[in-house]
């Protein structure tokens, strides 16, 4: 009887130990925040009744992660007013790995067109920010924009105050005729959004 009890205990221990071993090490997903700029009373750039806030919202709704290890959050999903401080507080509360603020440009000079990207030297992860801005620039140049300046630096609030690598991307100029057509076309918006989605989904 004693031997059977011992055998039972040993078998139980073996089973429990077996189950105790983790089957797979869990990797915590990469957290990305898309700052959907402007909104509410702040329309941003406007041309022919089309505003920057509408366009960035339309683009953001088309951006999706195709990788379970990358989770994308948005600072707004609707047309609402948010201060820069509110945005940054929300961003930092998520402890993100990367922050991308999306904008549409405007200029008095209507010949200005194409992509612009900014990082801040005052961001704690400024080198990483520049690296990511360059990678995203390459991705967008390959699939969408035929023109882009090199990555610039600027002390924008979101860039300075995000506790993560952070990039502002200006996705073309509302004030340029070609960019305007491109940005207001639903198929082109799909292309821009899918390039951004592809880039973010590949983050490691
Ligand atoms: Zn803007």
């Amino acid at each position: 009887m004693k031997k059977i009890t011992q055998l039972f205990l040993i078998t139980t221990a073996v089973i429990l130990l077996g189950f105790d071993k983790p089957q797979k090490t869990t990797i915590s997903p990469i957290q990305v925040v898309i700052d959907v700029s402007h909104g509410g009373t702040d329309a941003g750039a406007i041309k022919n009744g089309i505003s920057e806030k509408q366009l960035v919202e339309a683009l953001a709704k088309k951006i999706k992660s195709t990788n379970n290890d990358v989770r994308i959050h948005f600072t707004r999903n609707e047309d609402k007013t948010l201060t820069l401080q509110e945005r940054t507080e929300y961003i930092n509360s998520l402890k993100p790995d990367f922050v991308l603020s999306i904008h549409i440009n405007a200029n008095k000079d209507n010949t200005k067109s194409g992509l612009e990207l900014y990082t801040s030297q005052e961001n704690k992860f400024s080198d990483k920010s520049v690296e990511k801005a360059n990678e995203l620039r390459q991705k967008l140049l390959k699939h969408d924009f035929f023109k882009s300046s090199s990555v610039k630096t600027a002390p924008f609030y979101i860039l300075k105050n995000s506790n993560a690598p952070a990039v502002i991307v200006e996705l073309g100029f509302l004030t340029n005729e070609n960019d305007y057509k491109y940005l207001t076309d639903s198929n082109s918006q799909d292309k821009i959004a899918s390039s951004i989605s592809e880039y973010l989904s590949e983050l490691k």
Side-chain angles (χ1 to χ4, degrees), residues 37-38 52 103-104:
S37 63
H38 307 280
E52 180 180 1
H103 290 255
I104 310 291

Side-chain angles (χ1 to χ4, degrees), residues 90-133:
Y90 174 69
I91 288 169
N92 289 334
S93 76
L94 294 166
K95 299 190 170 32
D97 298 287
F98 181 48
V99 180
L100 180 65
S101 184
I102 55 171
H103 290 255
I104 310 291
N105 238 328
N107 201 286
K108 279 179 203 153
D109 177 0
N110 64 12
T111 63
K112 278 196 185 282
S113 68
L115 207 58
E116 278 188 343
L117 295 108
Y118 294 92
T119 63
S120 167
Q121 287 168 319
E122 289 162 81
N123 177 292
K124 276 176 249 168
F125 308 88
S126 103
D127 289 350
K128 262 261 173 280
S129 304
V130 174
E131 190 185 306
K132 288 193 165 12

Side-chain angles (χ1 to χ4, degrees), residues 88 120 122-124 154-163 166:
T88 316
S120 167
E122 289 162 81
N123 177 292
K124 276 176 249 168
F156 292 129
Y157 189 93
I158 294 271
L159 299 180
K160 275 198 319 195
N161 295 291
S162 290
N163 295 329

Side-chain angles (χ1 to χ4, degrees), residues 123-175:
N123 177 292
K124 276 176 249 168
F125 308 88
S126 103
D127 289 350
K128 262 261 173 280
S129 304
V130 174
E131 190 185 306
K132 288 193 165 12
N134 278 313
E135 288 167 0
L136 178 64
R137 178 175 178 267
Q138 288 308 322
K139 182 73 88 182
L140 284 161
L141 281 179
K142 203 163 110 192
H143 295 297
D144 305 292
F145 288 88
F146 32 87
K147 198 172 153 188
S148 164
S149 56
S150 54
V151 174
K152 298 174 187 173
T153 56
F156 292 129
Y157 189 93
I158 294 271
L159 299 180
K160 275 198 319 195
N161 295 291
S162 290
N163 295 329
V167 174
I168 282 182
V169 61
E170 299 270 3
L171 297 157
F173 287 76
L174 258 188
T175 41

